[in-house]
C-alpha cells in the first residue's frame, strides 16, 4: 500500500494550514484522508482524542492543529497559548504512539528559536538563547512538541519528527485585527481604509524588523514532500530533531506594508506607531537541509499576496473570515 492509500489524519484540518494540506493531498490523489473540525473533535480532551484514534485508526498523522495569533494576542493570552498547545500536541502525539501510527509530522513554528539567534537560523539554534518575550508561551509549547517527537522516537523508535515553518499567509488566514499575524492584519487595514476612504493607516512598530513569509500552499507542498521522502532517522541526524521550512528570503516590514498597500489599492499614507513592540529584530530560516533533500518553494511573495487578496475579496462576506 502506498502513502496515497493510507489513512491520513490532518489534525487542524479547518485552519489555514490544514486546509492547504487537504488541498495538496487531494491534488496528489490521496484517497483516504481523515479530517475533523474543532467542533467535531476537541483535541484538548484526552479521552475524546483516544476514542477518535481507536475508531478511525489513522496510519499517518500531520499535526497542524493549535492556537495561533500575532503579537497582540500572544501578549494578552499567553496562558491560553501555552496550555492549549501543550494539551493538543501531547494528546495527539501520545495517542498516535499508543495506536501504532506509522508516521507523524508535527508542525511547529520559527518562533521556537532564540530572539537573537544567528541569521539565517539553523536548526541547531534551538534552545541556544532566550526566547522573544512577546510569544514565549506559544514558543515554549511548540518546543515541547518538538521534544515530544524527539523523545518518542528515541525511546520507542517511532517515525515521528517535526518541521518548523516560517511565517505563513494565504487563503483562509485569520483577518481579525486583535488576533491576526502581520500579513492578514495589514491586508485588512489597507482594504478597510480604501473602502472607508481614509487618509492614513497606522502600522504596528517601527517597520524595521525583517521577516520571512511563505505562501501556505508552498508549506503544504513541503510537508507532503517530507511525508513521501523523509523519515525520523534522516531528520534526526547530527543531533538535530527537526527541519526548517521556508523560502530563505526576508523583507522589512515597511517594504511588506508598501507591497500590500499597492496590491489593495490604498492611496493614503502609512504611519508607523513606534510605541508598539517590534518583536524579534530579524527571523530568517536557514533552509539548506530541506534544499539538500530536493525541495524549494515556488510562489513569490508578491504573487502569493495577490492570490491571498483575491481570495479575501472574493469570499461572499469578508467578515466571515476575520
Amino acid at each position: 500500500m502506498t502513502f496515497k492509500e493510507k489513512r491520513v489524519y490532518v489534525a487542524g484540518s479547518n485552519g489555514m494550514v490544514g486546509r492547504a494540506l487537504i488541498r495538496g493531498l487531494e491534488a496528489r490523489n490521496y484517497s483516504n484522508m481523515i479530517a475533523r473540525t474543532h467542533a467535531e473533535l476537541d483535541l484538548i480532551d484526552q479521552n475524546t482524542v483516544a476514542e477518535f484514534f481507536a475508531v478511525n485508526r489513522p496510519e499517518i498523522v500531520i499535526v497542524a492543529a493549535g492556537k495561533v495569533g500575532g503579537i497582540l494576542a500572544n501578549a494578552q493570552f499567553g496562558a491560553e497559548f501555552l496550555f492549549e498547545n501543550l494539551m493538543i500536541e501531547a494528546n495527539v502525539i501520545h495517542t498516535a504512539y499508543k495506536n501504532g501510527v506509522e508516521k507523524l509530522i508535527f508542525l511547529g513554528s520559527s518562533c521556537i528559536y532564540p530572539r537573537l539567534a544567528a541569521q539565517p537560523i539553523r536548526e541547531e539554534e534551538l534552545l541556544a538563547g532566550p526566547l522573544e518575550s512577546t510569544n514565549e508561551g506559544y514558543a515554549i509549547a511548540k518546543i515541547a512538541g518538538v521534544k515530544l517527537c524527539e523523545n518518542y522516537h528515541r525511546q520507542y523508535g517511532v517515525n515521528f519528527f517535526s518541521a518548523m515553518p516560517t511565517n505563513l499567509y494565504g487563503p483562509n488566514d485569520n483577518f481579525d485585527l486583535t488576533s491576526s499575524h502581520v500579513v492578514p492584519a495589514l491586508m485588512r487595514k489597507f482594504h478597510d481604509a480604501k473602502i472607508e476612504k481614509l487618509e492614513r493607516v497606522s502600522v504596528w512598530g517601527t517597520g524595521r524588523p525583517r521577516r520571512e513569509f511563505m505562501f501556505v500552499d508552498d508549506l503544504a507542498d513541503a510537508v507532503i514532500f517530507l511525508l513521501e521522502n523523509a523519515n525520523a532517522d534522516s531528520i534526526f541526524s547530527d543531533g538535530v530533531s527537526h527541519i526548517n521550512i521556508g523560502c530563505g528570503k526576508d523583507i522589512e516590514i515597511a517594504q511588506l506594508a508598501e507591497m500590500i498597500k499597492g496590491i489593495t489599492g490604498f492611496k493614503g499614507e502609512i504611519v508607523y506607531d513606534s510605541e508598539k513592540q517590534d518583536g524579534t529584530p530579524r527571523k530568517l530560516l536557514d533552509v539548506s537541509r530541506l534544499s539538500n533533500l530536493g525541495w524549494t518553494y515556488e510562489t513569490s511573495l508578491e504573487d502569493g499576496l495577490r492570490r491571498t487578496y483575491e481570495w479575501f475579496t472574493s469570499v461572499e462576506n469578508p467578515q466571515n473570515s476575520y
Side-chain angles (χ1 to χ4, degrees):
M1 181 185 294
T2 67
F3 276 137
K4 295 182 179 183
E5 297 169 314
K6 291 183 181 293
R7 295 183 297 278
V8 180
Y9 168 47
V10 178
S13 59
N14 204 41
M16 176 180 67
V17 172
R19 292 188 185 193
L21 285 165
I22 295 293
R23 287 195 299 273
L25 291 165
E26 288 177 342
R28 291 161 180 78
N29 299 314
Y30 279 72
S31 59
N32 207 353
M33 286 178 290
I34 305 168
R36 296 290 187 275
T37 65
H38 174 71
E40 295 169 329
L41 175 60
D42 183 4
L43 295 176
I44 295 176
D45 187 296
Q46 189 175 54
N47 292 329
T48 301
V49 174
E51 181 180 357
F52 166 79
F53 271 78
V55 171
N56 293 277
R57 298 176 295 109
E59 297 165 280
I60 308 295
V61 174
I62 303 173
V63 187
K67 183 177 181 65
V68 298
I71 289 179
L72 180 60
N74 273 275
Q76 291 181 332
F77 306 108
E80 285 84 354
F81 276 90
L82 179 55
F83 171 76
E84 293 185 24
N85 285 297
L86 281 172
M87 294 299 294
I88 288 168
E89 64 204 26
N91 287 339
V92 174
I93 293 169
H94 177 71
T95 309
Y97 157 69
K98 295 288 287 186
N99 284 267
V101 166
E102 295 178 23
K103 191 169 193 175
L104 180 146
I105 301 177
F106 170 72
L107 298 184
S109 166
S110 58
C111 75
I112 67 170
Y113 292 114
R115 169 181 167 79
L116 299 178
Q119 304 288 323
I121 307 171
R122 301 171 66 234
E123 288 87 350
E124 289 85 353
E125 286 289 319
L126 181 62
L127 298 176
L131 298 167
E132 164 59 39
S133 61
T134 56
N135 59 15
E136 184 181 74
Y138 180 74
I140 288 172
K142 289 299 182 180
I143 292 170
V146 173
K147 291 301 180 180
L148 275 172
C149 288
E150 177 182 342
N151 282 279
Y152 274 77
H153 171 68
R154 286 179 174 171
Q155 186 169 341
Y156 300 115
V158 292
N159 192 9
F160 294 4
F161 64 89
S162 305
M164 298 302 113
T166 190
N167 301 292
L168 303 171
Y169 69 94
N172 304 113
D173 208 339
N174 169 27
F175 289 84
D176 177 72
L177 292 179
T178 63
S179 59
S180 59
H181 289 100
V182 61
V183 167
L186 289 175
M187 199 166 284
R188 162 95 184 270
K189 281 188 173 184
F190 287 125
H191 175 80
D192 288 354
K194 179 182 71 171
I195 299 301
E196 297 167 16
K197 296 182 171 57
L198 301 181
E199 294 183 356
R200 61 185 59 85
V201 163
S202 177
V203 174
W204 187 297
T206 64
R208 291 192 295 268
R210 300 186 67 88
R211 292 290 184 272
E212 176 184 18
F213 298 97
M214 171 174 273
F215 190 58
V216 69
D217 288 79
D218 282 352
L219 178 275
D221 186 67
V223 172
I224 297 168
F225 174 86
L226 290 172
L227 172 63
E228 297 176 343
N229 296 279
N231 55 54
D233 286 333
S234 61
I235 297 298
F236 279 62
S237 62
D238 300 323
V240 173
S241 58
H242 59 284
I243 188 167
N244 290 337
I245 300 178
C247 305
K249 298 179 180 179
D250 62 1
I251 185 174
E252 268 198 359
I253 294 300
Q255 294 174 289
L256 175 72
E258 291 289 349
M259 189 179 294
I260 296 176
K261 173 186 172 180
I263 288 170
T264 61
F266 174 65
K267 303 300 183 182
E269 179 187 6
I270 299 175
V271 178
Y272 291 93
D273 185 355
S274 58
E275 293 186 359
K276 297 293 194 301
Q277 292 174 298
D278 272 336
T280 302
R282 190 183 189 197
K283 192 166 61 173
L284 173 66
L285 294 183
D286 183 323
V287 293
S288 57
R289 293 185 73 214
L290 183 58
S291 297
N292 290 339
L293 289 176
W295 187 89
T296 188
Y297 78 103
E298 293 185 356
T299 309
S300 71
L301 179 57
E302 185 168 3
D303 183 43
L305 291 173
R306 290 189 184 280
R307 289 166 63 180
T308 302
Y309 188 61
E310 288 170 4
W311 175 86
F312 174 75
T313 55
S314 69
V315 292
E316 184 175 348
N317 177 8
Q319 294 288 341
N320 290 337
S321 63
Y322 288 167

